[in-house]
Amino acid sequence: MGTYIVRRLLGMIPMLFAITVFTFLMMHAAPGNAIDAMINPSIRDIEQLKEHLREINGLNDPLWLQYVHWLEHFVVGNWGFSFNFHEPVIDLIGPALANTLLLAVVAEVLTLLFGIPIGLYQARHPYSKFDYTASTISFVLYSVPYYILALLLIYVFAINLQIFPAQGATGTGPLAGTFIDHLYHALLPALSIAIANMAVYTRYTRGAMLEVIRKDFTRTAYAKGLSEGRVFTKHVFRNAMIPLVTQFGFDIGSFAGGAIILEGLFQYQGMGYLTITSVNNRDYTVIMATTVLFAVCVLLGNLIADILYAVVDPRIRYN
Amino acid sequence: MTKFRKRNLAAMALAASLTALAAGCGAAGGANNTAAGTADNTKPVDGGTLTIGQWQKFNQQFIPFMDSSLYTANITMEAFDSLFNIDKNLNFVPWLAQSYQWSPDKKTVTITLRSDANWSDGQPITSDDVLFTMDYLASPTYTNDLQGQYESLVDPVKGSDEILAGKAKSFADTGGFHKISDKKFSITFKTADAAALWYSIATLQPIPKHVLQNIPMKDWLTSDYDKMPTVVSGPYKFTKVTTDSVEMQANPNYWAGKPHIQTVIWKTVTPDVAPGLLSSGQLDMYLNGLKARDFQNLKALNNVNAVAEPEFGYEYLGWKLWQKELQDVRVRQAIAYAINRQQMLQGIYKGLGQILNSPIPKGSWAAAPDSELINYNYDPNKANQLLDEAGWKKDANGWRIDPVTHQEAQFVLDYPSNNPDRASEAEAIAQDLQAVGLKVKLDPPMDFNALLKKVLTTNDQQLQQQMNQSHQIYLWIMAWGLSTDPDPRGNGWTYPNANNLQDWNDPTNEQLIKKTYDVAAFDQNVRKQALIEWQKYFNQQWPAMILYSRPDIVAVNKRVHIPQDDVLTSMQQFGPYINMFQWWVSPQ
Amino acid sequence: MAEPLLAIQNLKTYFISRDSTVRAVDGIDLEVYPRQVVCIVGESGCGKSMTSLSIMRLVPKPKGKIVDGQIVFQGRDLLKLSEKAMTDVRGNEISMIFQEPMTALNPVLTIGDQITEVLVRHRNMNKRQALAKAIEMLKRVGVPRAEQIVHEYPHQLSGGLRQRVMIAMAMVCEPKLLIADEPTTALDVTIQAQVLELMRQLREDFNTAIILITHDLGVVAEMADHVVVMYAGQVVESVNADELFAEPLHPYTQGLMASIPTLDEEKEVLYSIPGTVPDAAAFPEGCRFASRCPLAQPSCFEKMPELREVKPGHFVRCDVV
């Protein structure tokens, strides 16, 4: 297992390298950058300023040299300076990543906490009223674009009932900025994500469970005299977890990306919000950093999925 | 372009909005308050909290001019006063500067600071603070290391080039600044220029030298003071800053009097949910970004006043004046008559906004009165007539023949992809032009940077030739936000100028613009007349199709009392909320 | 003879759906005496597997349903037991092994885990005791390296080993009755013989009666004390093994016998019974084999023949013979 993980980690290095090259070229090919977009009318000699900024930012160097410089700096954590926010990129990414991770964790916990048990219950009583109702509701929730759902949640819980804050990742008052405050602000957006994802998990869980229930070894388990509950928890669920783990890995992979539209809607200061703001402003140092982070997250997500896969499925572990 | 428009531009429009808002408030507020008790209606109450929403996150760079975001500036504004303020007609009026006087050669201005203006820690605001701020903006560190964008605020001052080049350290050494006393100094400009003070030093927000002098300037960016300035000159002090909200408390030592409202909270709120939060009272005010389609709903709320006023800026249809087809003024005017701007405002902005026939919006003191300008009302007949006169004959299919190429004229229209309204505008324009026989090909929407690059690169001679040879006449849609001062140079109407996207190169125009800032123009009346003359020439020449000012919508809870006179007489430089220290809120 | 260990009377197991009723098991009678090996023989789909699942009350839900009959095991009607009481029977007094050792073991649990849970369930053993017993049982069924194998997963074992594990799992509580549903079909011939030998051995050791379900008459010849031939959900012939092979009476049984490939006759084409099994959702009124029967009389198509004792202990569902 240990060597398996190490081998997979080493295997990521060329991938990462390829990603940085790809990201760099992509950014280079993108139309313009923050400097080109400067047309502040109050800057009188704007061309000179632009040229100066290009020079000090190394944008006049040959492409490969720009890449090498960028990579050197990137590796040691010097991710450059945001033209838009006027802050070092790493200072922007830090809090944004923390917020997004909190949101992702809360959303994932909610998703799993409700999605899996509902799917389990459905699988245990297939074609029952509950099953049909849950399937219909989750289908509807899955079909509704989640920003509509989010708006609905905001209006109900934040504006009418005023239970949750409508916007932001932190609030005001004495608790502002504390972990509790962050958690409180993450709940509503997390719920929006969770409701959509829950549908995926209930369907996956139900489907996987029903498939496993039909398997011969389930019949064997019953034939051994195990109670239904025991059969479900020990024999069926363990096997049904295998496809769920894959989905979980995808989720981890998309953590850092944040939910771009959703974060915008909640003005939740996470990676998604940072990215979209930066894309809108051609803030390419930030975009490059976030892109690489997303790629790393996807790779890590895959790795974690593979490891979990091996944990739940001995057939993979021993091959 | 909205991003990089000077931060006070949008503020101007909002200032105008608030004027109307205050008026509305007076009437509605009166009726509203009878139930609560009329006695308190005119008597401000101290205390309370005002919660303001903005739709973009501020950047945690609160030293003035460190950051170029409007949303940061709106907040910084409450903590840092500027030397001059503006009135409702966008005239500059003394503020931290109590008075000013020009030297006979009009190169030097002597400014006296208010004797009662102190920093919140009790230290007086002095000439040294002003010099310190000017040196900060002029320094190479500011432009290069901090990547500041406001060097222009000191650029016209004598010696700015030497400081930027590193040859001098301070305007005190270059003859640009002369300290007369702690509260009095003079500033010498490079040339006698009637606009120079207004587009530069007037909007300067001094920063406290006694706090910042001990921190190396390149470290300001990461200093605690930048993240949350503790010593301020304005009506509100920072008390708490989180990633997405700022809490401020009244500065009891504010020179113009302690503000009525005790706490001001800034939040980041998306326009999608702002109307809901306004109606539930969780937000007292929302700035920048409310949608035209929400305006009527906001107005219908009985606890909210909503006002839509034209922004201080405009949308325009640009073209390259070196394109042979467009060198005929009749063609340019024909396009003006052919486009139904009223219908576009109706369709896209619910009838809000304001049609412009000159590049200075009507909110400015310098705007030419309608009577002085050709009013390009929608008139397709007139457009057809002008095109006929210009020799643009129609072919069998009803399309007009380009007199240069003797083939069907082919226009190409580009527009940026960052706003869906641009697409609607492009379609409307294309339809209107086709209606008078001008064939328009709509390009797919372009990334703003790509569009800008395309528009800019056409200055290249070779490209010009290519474009002329392709027989395509190039049009584009963009928007400008404007500076407070109506100086035409600031907006790229001179040649050469990086912002002169039309490549308008006209000696008469240069002459007229020169008159708006020469020595004679130091007389405000002369300057105004010169600006009107220039606008008349512009209006007749029509070097670009000015479309209209889009609406800016502001919504405020009725419990917020905005004194009408205050708004009318003393608007601050950047702030859309003007002199917030005079506002008060009804107790809840 | 003594009391039967298991007596099935008129068992009917149907699959009921909205638009059809499939009569998978349609009124069968069966008796199993202690230590007896009863073979149930028939083509696939004849209801023999459903009969065994009915005994375990593991008919696939929700469509499968035991609609009538009795299954008396040691004096108790299993069909009247609560689900809870039934779980005490399964794996304990009656065990079952399945055809596919590849899929009948849970792939994500160790062998030891799968065997010990039976003991934990029925014998109240703790994990350690159960593991020791499991290892002992594995050794007994001829699994080499039993101590290691309990920590391994099914995919690490060969098919024959897996079936031995299945058998160990089924026998670990020393059940009175073992139901083996085609236990050797998926195994190659040498392994088949070993497994059958093992079952015989276990019967001797534990006095376990066995219901062996198979379509392979060779297996029947080797193992059976008594044979029940099923066709289309019914018993068509029931007799002791020797007599069956000496004198098969039912035309279907005769057909089955004829289709066994033998080494001494050099037939060009293997004999097969012509025609097809009738649709279990729409059985004909008369004899279900009539349409394929070489001896069929007109009356066969009208009236369902009774299972009658044509000779002492030899039951046949045919009016012609």
Side-chain angles (χ1 to χ4, degrees):
Chain A
M1 197 72 169
T3 52
Y4 173 76
I5 295 171
V6 169
R7 210 175 56 219
R8 286 297 313 266
L9 279 172
L10 288 176
M12 279 170 66
I13 292 172
M15 268 309 267
L16 274 174
F17 183 74
I19 286 162
T20 58
V21 171
F22 184 73
T23 311
F24 184 82
L25 290 177
M26 208 169 61
M27 282 304 125
H28 187 81
N33 54 44
I35 297 171
D36 289 339
M38 284 201 318
I39 45 168
N40 186 340
S42 64
I43 299 175
R44 261 145 225 269
D45 206 342
I46 195 158
E47 281 311 321
Q48 194 192 328
L49 175 62
K50 282 183 185 178
E51 182 52 37
H52 176 74
L53 287 177
R54 260 183 236 122
E55 190 59 45
I56 61 167
N57 285 286
L59 297 184
N60 292 335
D61 291 338
L63 196 57
W64 66 268
L65 194 60
Q66 287 187 42
Y67 171 75
V68 169
H69 284 315
W70 172 74
L71 193 65
E72 271 172 16
H73 287 146
F74 198 88
V75 168
V76 298
N78 178 4
W79 293 1
F81 191 84
S82 157
F83 287 99
N84 179 44
F85 296 103
H86 288 247
E87 282 202 58
V89 173
I90 200 142
D91 291 353
L92 293 165
I93 302 260
L97 194 60
N99 280 341
T100 287
L101 284 181
L102 178 69
L103 177 61
V105 168
V106 175
E108 196 67 20
V109 166
L110 286 175
T111 306
L112 300 181
L113 210 61
F114 292 99
I116 290 181
I118 291 172
L120 288 179
Y121 194 81
Q122 278 181 277
R124 198 149 167 195
H125 304 278
Y127 313 110
S128 64
K129 252 188 200 132
F130 177 85
D131 183 26
Y132 283 121
T133 315
S135 289
T136 312
I137 291 176
S138 68
F139 180 74
V140 169
L141 291 178
Y142 186 70
S143 316
V144 174
Y146 69 104
Y147 55 89
I148 303 238
L149 202 73
L151 272 181
L152 204 75
L153 288 175
I154 292 175
Y155 270 90
V156 172
F157 290 104
I159 293 175
N160 282 334
L161 300 175
Q162 305 197 3
I163 303 172
F164 291 112
Q167 302 267 278
T170 55
T172 49
L175 281 178
T178 60
F179 179 73
I180 299 287
D181 183 53
H182 272 104
L183 195 63
Y184 181 49
H185 279 76
L187 275 173
L188 205 54
L191 194 61
S192 315
I193 299 173
I195 285 176
N197 283 0
M198 232 186 266
V200 175
Y201 274 91
T202 51
R203 274 191 328 179
Y204 268 48
T205 308
R206 180 184 181 276
M209 290 291 286
L210 285 182
E211 199 185 311
V212 177
I213 284 169
R214 281 195 297 268
K215 289 276 167 76
D216 289 350
F217 61 78
T218 307
R219 201 173 52 186
T220 308
Y222 277 117
K224 287 197 276 192
L226 301 181
S227 68
E228 194 171 4
R230 186 96 183 126
V231 173
F232 265 79
T233 49
K234 187 168 178 185
H235 288 265
V236 183
F237 184 56
R238 285 251 191 126
N239 281 278
M241 257 167 62
I242 295 168
L244 292 181
V245 157
T246 316
Q247 178 64 29
F248 185 72
F250 282 141
D251 289 356
I252 294 175
S254 57
F255 269 2
I260 288 184
I261 297 172
L262 200 92
E263 288 189 2
L265 209 55
F266 280 94
Q267 297 283 321
Y268 190 87
Q269 309 298 332
M271 291 294 281
Y273 190 84
L274 178 65
T275 305
I276 198 70
T277 314
S278 304
V279 167
N280 284 340
N281 292 302
R282 257 19 85 178
D283 202 352
Y284 75 101
T285 46
V286 181
I287 302 173
M288 270 160 84
T290 55
T291 309
V292 172
L293 270 183
F294 296 162
V296 169
C297 251
V298 171
L299 287 181
L300 279 178
N302 285 344
L303 177 70
I304 291 170
D306 283 351
I307 291 170
L308 287 177
Y309 217 67
V311 168
V312 296
D313 193 342
R315 285 167 291 187
I316 294 189
R317 205 181 318 161
Y318 289 94
N319 280 348
Chain B
M1 196 169 296
T2 40
K3 174 65 198 170
F4 284 95
R5 66 193 195 179
K6 197 174 170 188
R7 53 186 180 169
N8 49 350
L9 329 172
M12 288 311 95
L14 284 153
S17 307
L18 282 170
T19 312
L21 197 69
C25 211
N32 207 30
N33 282 351
T34 40
T38 39
D40 289 334
N41 192 22
T42 49
K43 195 164 171 277
V45 177
D46 282 0
T49 300
L50 179 73
T51 307
I52 304 174
Q54 309 195 87
W55 83 319
Q56 297 282 308
K57 181 178 137 53
F58 55 86
N59 299 325
Q60 216 172 331
Q61 305 282 334
F62 293 119
I63 295 176
F65 312 115
M66 287 287 268
D67 185 66
S68 57
S69 154
L70 170 70
Y71 306 94
T72 311
N74 282 344
I75 298 170
T76 318
M77 203 49 250
E78 280 311 311
F80 295 93
D81 275 2
S82 52
L83 293 177
F84 286 77
N85 206 337
I86 10 173
D87 70 11
K88 67 168 180 177
N89 293 323
L90 309 189
N91 285 299
F92 282 93
V93 293
W95 193 247
L96 267 183
Q98 193 163 31
S99 63
Y100 67 103
Q101 188 153 26
W102 285 103
S103 65
D105 68 354
K106 306 291 185 197
K107 280 190 169 178
T108 301
V109 64
T110 302
I111 291 173
T112 308
L113 295 171
R114 293 195 66 95
S115 58
D116 54 357
N118 291 333
W119 294 105
S120 57
D121 62 358
Q123 297 280 330
I125 300 171
T126 65
S127 306
D128 293 328
D129 291 321
V130 175
L131 175 63
F132 183 72
T133 310
M134 287 172 63
D135 290 343
Y136 146 64
L137 293 177
S139 69
T141 308
Y142 174 74
T143 300
N144 299 347
D145 298 329
L146 305 179
Q147 300 190 355
Q149 290 194 24
Y150 295 93
E151 191 271 334
S152 60
L153 291 184
V154 291
D155 190 57
V157 180
K158 195 172 160 192
S160 62
D161 301 328
E162 286 130 273
I163 298 176
L164 186 59
K167 288 177 197 148
K169 281 263 177 277
S170 169
F171 283 110
D173 305 329
T174 64
F177 185 96
H178 178 60
K179 179 180 172 181
I180 297 162
S181 72
D182 274 354
K183 289 287 189 182
K184 197 170 184 178
F185 58 88
S186 66
I187 289 170
T188 303
F189 293 96
K190 291 171 185 166
T191 57
D193 184 323
L197 174 60
W198 310 123
Y199 67 64
S200 66
I201 299 300
T203 57
L204 196 79
Q205 291 164 285
I207 52 178
K209 181 181 179 183
H210 66 284
V211 176
L212 284 164
Q213 65 183 345
N214 298 323
I215 308 172
M217 198 192 292
K218 63 176 170 44
D219 297 335
W220 286 9
L221 206 64
T222 49
S223 67
D224 291 344
Y225 186 82
D226 190 35
K227 303 293 166 202
M228 196 173 116
T230 42
V231 177
V232 300
S233 60
Y236 285 92
K237 298 192 290 188
F238 289 86
T239 48
K240 185 146 201 169
V241 179
T242 68
T243 51
D244 48 12
S245 69
V246 171
E247 186 188 275
M248 299 177 118
Q249 300 286 346
N251 171 8
N253 299 325
Y254 186 51
W255 62 269
K258 183 179 184 287
H260 293 304
I261 298 171
Q262 178 57 35
T263 309
V264 175
I265 292 170
W266 298 86
K267 284 185 170 173
T268 313
V269 172
T270 167
D272 294 308
V273 299
L277 293 172
L278 283 162
S279 95
S280 71
Q282 286 158 286
L283 266 189
D284 293 314
M285 185 171 184
Y286 193 75
L287 302 173
N288 312 86
L290 285 170
K291 291 169 179 166
R293 62 163 189 269
D294 287 331
F295 180 63
Q296 289 305 330
N297 295 337
L298 284 164
K299 267 185 89 152
L301 294 174
N302 56 20
N303 64 335
V304 172
N305 276 323
V307 169
E309 287 289 317
E311 64 177 343
F312 198 70
Y314 52 80
E315 188 112 351
Y316 75 100
L317 176 70
W319 50 64
K320 292 291 182 183
L321 283 155
W322 44 255
Q323 295 182 120
K324 289 200 185 79
E325 291 82 351
L326 290 170
Q327 279 167 3
D328 188 335
V329 69
R330 287 172 297 191
V331 177
R332 306 199 293 265
Q333 289 184 338
I335 292 175
Y337 284 114
I339 294 174
N340 191 344
R341 293 181 283 175
Q342 192 60 49
Q343 200 178 45
M344 286 166 71
L345 277 186
Q346 204 64 44
I348 301 164
Y349 299 106
K350 309 292 165 208
L352 307 170
Q354 190 171 47
I355 289 174
L356 294 181
N357 289 307
S358 106
I360 299 181
K362 293 178 186 171
S364 169
W365 57 269
D370 286 343
S371 57
E372 300 270 5
L373 302 173
I374 304 168
N375 188 348
Y376 293 108
N377 270 336
Y378 176 55
D379 190 346
N381 292 334
K382 187 102 183 227
N384 277 319
Q385 186 196 324
L386 282 165
L387 287 169
D388 289 341
E389 282 170 21
W392 289 55
K393 302 216 162 47
K394 282 192 178 177
D395 67 9
N397 300 323
W399 297 118
R400 290 195 181 268
I401 306 288
D402 185 333
V404 178
T405 63
H406 305 291
Q407 284 167 347
E408 261 179 22
Q410 181 70 257
F411 287 81
V412 177
L413 176 52
D414 273 333
Y415 57 97
S417 57
N418 57 359
N419 183 338
D421 291 341
R422 294 297 92 77
S424 314
E425 284 166 342
E427 267 162 43
I429 289 170
Q431 264 179 25
D432 286 343
L433 292 182
Q434 313 238 46
V436 296
L438 300 177
K439 199 174 207 172
V440 179
K441 180 172 151 266
L442 275 186
D443 272 349
M446 290 176 85
D447 173 86
F448 179 76
N449 272 328
L451 174 58
L452 185 64
K453 215 159 195 174
K454 187 168 172 184
V455 170
L456 284 172
T457 49
T458 50
N459 286 329
D460 182 74
Q461 289 288 328
Q462 222 174 349
L463 246 142
Q464 289 187 18
Q465 223 162 23
Q466 261 176 31
M467 282 179 78
N468 271 332
Q469 275 162 6
S470 72
H471 310 306
Q472 291 193 330
I473 307 163
Y474 185 61
L475 307 173
W476 71 88
I477 299 176
M478 276 195 199
W480 276 114
L482 300 177
S483 314
T484 319
D485 191 77
D487 187 355
R489 290 170 296 177
N491 218 16
W493 295 115
T494 52
Y495 190 91
N497 182 316
N499 291 329
N500 187 345
L501 302 180
Q502 305 52 235
D503 301 330
W504 190 26
N505 185 2
D506 179 340
T508 314
N509 176 52
E510 300 299 323
Q511 280 293 316
L512 287 168
I513 289 178
K514 213 169 167 95
K515 282 189 180 163
T516 68
Y517 63 83
D518 65 10
V519 175
F522 275 83
D523 180 332
Q524 174 90 340
N525 288 326
V526 173
R527 187 165 182 232
K528 181 174 179 180
Q529 202 47 51
L531 283 164
I532 290 175
E533 288 306 318
W534 172 71
Q535 287 172 76
K536 283 164 73 177
Y537 185 68
F538 182 102
N539 170 254
Q540 190 272 327
Q541 284 292 308
W542 211 238
M545 170 89 205
I546 309 290
L547 294 169
Y548 40 65
S549 298
R550 293 163 297 179
D552 260 334
I553 298 168
V554 179
V556 182
N557 194 297
K558 284 181 182 161
R559 79 185 189 94
V560 183
H561 300 261
I562 304 169
Q564 198 172 342
D565 290 347
D566 172 42
V567 176
L568 291 174
T569 55
S570 55
M571 289 187 284
Q572 231 169 313
Q573 171 63 22
F574 297 111
Y577 32 85
I578 326 304
N579 284 328
M580 206 198 281
F581 71 98
Q582 295 190 350
W583 299 8
W584 57 282
V585 290
S586 301
Q588 270 161 324
Chain C
M1 218 183 239
E3 278 291 295
L5 179 69
L6 178 83
I8 299 177
Q9 277 162 31
N10 193 31
L11 178 70
K12 292 185 178 176
T13 302
Y14 291 177
F15 284 79
I16 301 167
S17 63
R18 207 173 302 163
D19 25 56
S20 73
T21 298
V22 174
R23 291 181 276 175
V25 177
D26 199 14
I28 71 155
D29 298 305
L30 180 78
E31 284 178 344
V32 180
Y33 291 87
R35 299 197 68 234
Q36 197 181 26
V37 175
V38 173
C39 280
I40 302 180
V41 186
E43 292 166 284
S44 48
C46 72
K48 55 191 196 298
S49 288
M50 255 342 119
T51 305
S52 64
L53 287 176
S54 299
I55 298 166
M56 295 296 272
R57 281 183 44 193
L58 290 175
V59 177
K61 285 185 284 185
K63 288 182 181 165
K65 221 174 183 164
I66 299 171
V67 295
D68 198 6
Q70 282 187 333
I71 301 172
V72 179
F73 177 74
Q74 292 190 315
R76 289 181 298 172
D77 184 354
L78 295 181
L79 298 183
K80 293 208 170 77
L81 292 184
S82 67
E83 177 59 31
K84 173 83 184 63
M86 192 61 213
T87 60
D88 289 335
V89 175
R90 286 185 206 128
N92 186 18
E93 294 177 84
I94 307 177
S95 282
M96 191 162 176
I97 55 180
F98 299 97
Q99 179 173 351
E100 276 289 345
M102 299 294 174
T103 56
L105 287 168
N106 192 325
V108 304
L109 299 176
T110 59
I111 303 301
D113 205 357
Q114 299 190 54
I115 299 175
T116 52
E117 70 178 341
V118 190
L119 294 163
V120 172
R121 166 74 183 82
H122 296 295
R123 290 286 179 273
N124 261 330
M125 287 188 184
N126 64 33
K127 286 260 173 186
R128 212 162 45 83
Q129 295 168 320
L131 193 65
K133 173 81 181 165
I135 291 167
E136 182 201 322
M137 197 64 212
L138 284 172
K139 284 180 176 162
R140 194 135 176 199
V141 299
V143 172
R145 307 187 295 119
E147 286 87 352
Q148 286 102 57
I149 277 183
V150 287
H151 299 298
E152 291 181 4
Y153 290 91
H155 72 274
Q156 293 168 282
L157 308 182
S158 68
L161 267 187
R162 281 188 234 184
Q163 197 59 299
R164 281 176 197 268
V165 168
M166 277 300 292
I167 292 169
M169 209 160 77
M171 295 303 297
V172 77
C173 286
E174 301 176 15
K176 298 278 185 307
L177 175 64
L178 174 70
I179 303 172
D181 186 354
E182 308 256 13
T184 57
T185 311
L187 305 174
D188 75 51
V189 186
T190 46
I191 310 288
Q192 266 186 23
Q194 289 173 15
V195 168
L196 292 177
E197 177 53 36
L198 173 63
M199 288 174 67
R200 240 192 321 253
Q201 187 62 45
L202 290 171
R203 181 191 47 174
E204 296 307 318
D205 294 354
F206 296 107
N207 290 325
T208 302
I210 297 174
I211 295 178
L212 183 63
I213 292 164
T214 183
H215 64 274
D216 184 345
L217 287 171
V219 172
V220 176
E222 195 149 325
M223 297 286 291
D225 297 321
H226 188 90
V227 183
V228 171
V229 182
M230 280 186 74
Y231 183 80
Q234 293 175 321
V235 175
V236 293
E237 187 158 3
S238 173
V239 66
N240 74 59
D242 297 340
E243 185 161 338
L244 183 87
F245 284 102
E247 193 184 4
L249 288 180
H250 196 281
Y252 173 64
T253 316
Q254 291 167 351
L256 281 182
M257 297 282 189
S259 56
I260 303 174
T262 46
L263 292 174
D264 45 311
E265 286 172 52
E266 299 228 342
K267 284 184 188 170
E268 295 259 311
V269 183
L270 202 58
Y271 175 79
S272 70
I273 304 168
T276 53
V277 185
D279 178 7
F283 283 130
E285 239 175 68
C287 174
R288 290 178 186 169
F289 187 64
S291 63
R292 304 170 75 184
C293 183
L295 307 176
Q297 306 294 312
S299 63
C300 294
F301 291 92
E302 277 151 32
K303 190 182 145 283
M304 165 71 70
E306 294 294 319
L307 189 66
R308 60 193 176 92
E309 194 166 13
V310 292
K311 286 182 181 180
H314 195 154
F315 294 83
V316 180
R317 191 185 289 276
C318 181
D319 293 337
V320 179
V321 294

